Amino acid sequence: MAALSLDNPRILAAVRQEDQRAEWIASLLQAAVLALLSLLYFVAPKAEMSQWRFEPVPLLLFAYWPLVLLRLWLSARGRMGPWLSAAAIGGDMFALAALIFSFHLQYGQPAPFSLKAPTFAYFFIFIAVRALRFDWRYVALAGLVAAGFWSLLLLYALSQPQTQITNSFVEYIFGMPVLLGAEVDKIISLLAVAAILATAVARSRRLLERATCDAIAQRDLARFFPGDVAEHILASDKPLAPGDAATREASVLSLDLRGFTRYTASHEPRQVMALLGDFQQRMVAAIFAHGGTVDKFLGDGILAHFGAARPDPAHAANCLRAALDCSAAAKAWSSERASAGHSPVQVGAGCASGEVLFGVVGDARRLELTVIGDAVNLSAKLEKHSKSTPTPVVVTRRLWELARQQGFEAPVAARLQQARVAGVGDPVDLVTL
């Protein structure tokens, strides 16, 4: 049987959900960065302006805010599709490049002045924000767009008549000449950071897909195995093999839907499955309510245990509480069916306790975690014996006394001393509830 593949629609849907949450976080961070830029601009002391006092920086900041808020609104509603996300990257980088470009205008300086703006570092922030998405393509696109816009700024500066090119780092630092090597380093840095982050994001996505795959498999596993059994399988520090077992002191409950064979013979398969599903749903709810583990469904029967999959100091008391709840649920179910004009139902229960083995049986290709022991066999025989007793719940006296020590309280219908139970060699002291 094939395992869940990483391109399974359920896996991809789960990853998309994570991507949408990541887009929302990225939008919040983008808004935070813009808020920081705005704060720094309006709070920091202003440098000397050009003689025309042209101030494009606040205009760009105010023009950029609506786009950021729109993206925040769209991402909160999961509407940032691939094209919108790509467009947002272009918008981010264009706004930042325009902001940097405007510096030489605002301060009345030659075009190379913009290339010295420390705001260049925000390109790396915008690239890093894209790493929050689990898609390396957005990170790579951000790096390429950032490098492209910086290249355009460089080409613009080089196209101006007053621009000088130098090979002196000192002249570059203290003057307006352009050092081509330094600008190429910036472009390479943008591309390198984007490439590294894109590689990390690609690896993270694979890990996310595998983790999601495991989580879905675990959830599916829990639907076919009881929670304690699924945990036992997943927590094992080595592959489970036939014969692996642990000894436990536990209690076992066997349930049977009376008259199911006759019902099957006189009703359609769909009705039969509906009855069986209703029976299992009601009984399993009562078993789980008291910490029980459903070992298996036996057609019209259920085998459950308490304290086998996981040690339980009150296993006997919980077993009897579950048995009584199952009996009460069966009575209520029967009344509902009678009111609806359907045939009534009866459920018998047998309980026994003792030392059991909880372990792995089967072949290496088909394993099963189950409980084995005299208590298991005895509970099944007591369930059949309950057909001849005044009440539908029959338990061993040993289990009943142990349950009382563990805090169980319930009236006893009858005590059967040295009762003969079919399939059991020696007489057994029983209690009916």
Side-chain angles (χ1 to χ4, degrees), residues 319-338:
C319 180
L320 292 193
R321 293 186 186 109
L324 290 180
D325 281 359
C326 285
S327 181
K331 290 179 181 178
W333 180 31
S334 185
S335 297
E336 291 174 15
R337 288 181 56 82

Side-chain angles (χ1 to χ4, degrees), residues 37 76 85 89 134 164 202-203 209 259 324 426 428:
L37 279 172
S85 295
I89 293 173
F134 296 100
Q164 299 179 0
R203 288 175 55 82
E209 289 173 345
L324 290 180
D426 298 326
V428 184

Side-chain angles (χ1 to χ4, degrees), residues 117-200:
T119 314
F120 166 80
Y122 283 89
F123 276 120
F124 294 104
I125 295 177
F126 283 167
I127 294 172
V129 165
R130 289 299 152 187
L132 294 173
R133 290 287 299 266
F134 296 100
D135 194 329
W136 66 269
R137 293 172 296 181
Y138 293 121
V139 181
L141 178 62
L144 289 171
V145 174
F149 276 121
W150 193 255
S151 298
L152 289 176
L153 290 174
L154 175 60
L155 291 174
Y156 171 78
L158 293 175
S159 69
Q160 301 304 302
Q162 69 273 29
T163 299
Q164 299 179 0
I165 298 175
T166 183
N167 291 323
S168 171
F169 184 72
V170 175
E171 289 184 7
Y172 167 72
I173 291 296
F174 291 102
M176 288 300 166
V178 175
L179 181 61
L180 290 178
E183 302 309 323
V184 171
D185 280 348
K186 292 179 182 179
I187 295 172
I188 292 175
S189 297
L190 290 171
L191 294 174
V193 168
I196 293 170
L197 287 177
T199 303

Side-chain angles (χ1 to χ4, degrees), residues 65 108 336 338 340 346 387 398 430:
W65 265 113
E336 291 174 15
Q346 289 184 332
K387 296 177 182 179
R398 177 182 183 277
L430 303 177

Side-chain angles (χ1 to χ4, degrees), residues 228 286-293 305-307 310 312 318:
D228 292 339
I287 292 168
F288 283 176
H290 297 285
T293 299
H305 46 78
F306 300 76
R310 180 171 52 186
D312 179 5
N318 286 328

Side-chain angles (χ1 to χ4, degrees), residues 36-246:
L36 177 62
L37 279 172
S38 303
L39 179 65
L40 289 176
Y41 179 81
F42 290 106
V43 172
K46 300 296 184 296
E48 184 179 349
M49 302 293 178
S50 65
Q51 57 179 333
W52 299 285
R53 297 199 59 79
F54 172 64
E55 296 187 53
V57 174
L59 294 177
L60 285 169
L61 289 175
F62 280 123
Y64 191 35
W65 265 113
L67 296 177
V68 172
L69 295 176
L70 176 62
R71 177 185 169 190
L72 199 60
W73 183 80
L74 290 172
S75 62
R77 285 156 179 77
R79 297 181 182 179
M80 286 294 291
W83 289 106
L84 279 178
S85 295
I89 293 173
D92 292 345
M93 298 306 178
F94 173 79
L96 184 56
L99 178 64
I100 293 173
F101 172 81
S102 70
F103 287 156
H104 85 282
L105 300 175
Q106 179 163 335
Y107 298 105
Q109 298 295 321
F113 179 80
S114 294
L115 300 179
K116 299 181 182 294
T119 314
F120 166 80
Y122 283 89
F123 276 120
F124 294 104
I125 295 177
F126 283 167
I127 294 172
V129 165
R130 289 299 152 187
L132 294 173
R133 290 287 299 266
F134 296 100
D135 194 329
W136 66 269
R137 293 172 296 181
Y138 293 121
V139 181
L141 178 62
L144 289 171
V145 174
F149 276 121
W150 193 255
S151 298
L152 289 176
L153 290 174
L154 175 60
L155 291 174
Y156 171 78
L158 293 175
S159 69
Q160 301 304 302
Q162 69 273 29
T163 299
Q164 299 179 0
I165 298 175
T166 183
N167 291 323
S168 171
F169 184 72
V170 175
E171 289 184 7
Y172 167 72
I173 291 296
F174 291 102
M176 288 300 166
V178 175
L179 181 61
L180 290 178
E183 302 309 323
V184 171
D185 280 348
K186 292 179 182 179
I187 295 172
I188 292 175
S189 297
L190 290 171
L191 294 174
V193 168
I196 293 170
L197 287 177
T199 303
V201 167
R203 288 175 55 82
S204 298
R205 184 182 179 90
R206 298 296 289 181
L207 292 174
L208 173 65
E209 289 173 345
R210 292 187 183 279
T212 304
C213 185
D214 290 343
I216 291 177
Q218 181 176 354
R219 191 162 60 244
D220 290 347
L221 185 66
R223 296 181 64 193
F224 288 91
F225 295 94
D228 292 339
V229 175
E231 289 177 11
H232 184 88
I233 295 171
L234 294 169
S236 178
D237 57 358
K238 62 179 182 178
L240 297 177
D244 292 344

